[in-house]
Amino acid sequence: MKHLAAYLLLSLGGKESPSAKDVKSVLGSVGIEADDERLNTLISELKGKDLQELISEGSSKLASVPSGGSGGAPAAGGAAASGGAAAEEKAEEKEEEKEESDEDMGFGLFD
């Protein structure tokens, strides 16, 4: 990621096709040593490609990936439909929590 970030900074700064030496210079300016193998791979993969097109392609691919936020809505709808079952589950959870308390062991935290 650090190599890519330096490459993108250089391209934003006006350098159309940053070289490995340019990226090493940017990374070195903040005390980071570049990994030659990864850097050479990055440079070869991006050589001759338009960064704006790559970013837009990547954004469209990420848009199709489901995020974790949408999973809760169907479960809430199912619980509302069952009504009484949800109340029973909550009661069971409370009983389980009570069983797991320190009081059952015969001592407390501050005894």
Side-chain angles (χ1 to χ4, degrees):
M1 283 304 270
K2 59 188 172 192
H3 300 96
L4 179 59
Y7 188 93
L8 290 172
L9 283 172
L10 287 164
S11 66
L12 284 172
K15 193 114 172 132
E16 263 187 52
S17 182
S19 67
K21 182 180 177 182
D22 296 329
V23 173
K24 282 183 182 182
S25 174
V26 169
L27 292 175
S29 71
V30 292
I32 298 174
E33 189 174 326
D35 180 1
D36 290 330
E37 183 180 335
R38 288 185 180 193
L39 181 56
N40 291 332
T41 302
L42 175 72
I43 298 294
S44 66
E45 291 289 325
L46 296 177
K47 190 173 187 175
K49 295 183 181 176
D50 182 25
L51 289 177
Q52 294 301 324
E53 287 180 26
L54 291 174
I55 291 171
S56 65
E57 286 176 22
S59 295
S60 66
K61 287 179 183 179
L62 283 175
S64 67
V65 175
S67 62
S70 64
S82 63
E88 290 177 17
E89 288 178 18
K90 287 183 181 179
E92 290 176 14
E93 287 178 16
K94 287 181 182 179
E95 288 177 19
E96 289 177 16
E97 288 178 17
K98 189 175 183 181
E99 291 174 8
E100 294 176 5
S101 71
D102 286 341
E103 294 174 1
D104 291 330
M105 292 182 195
F107 62 91
L109 182 62
F110 299 105
D111 287 345

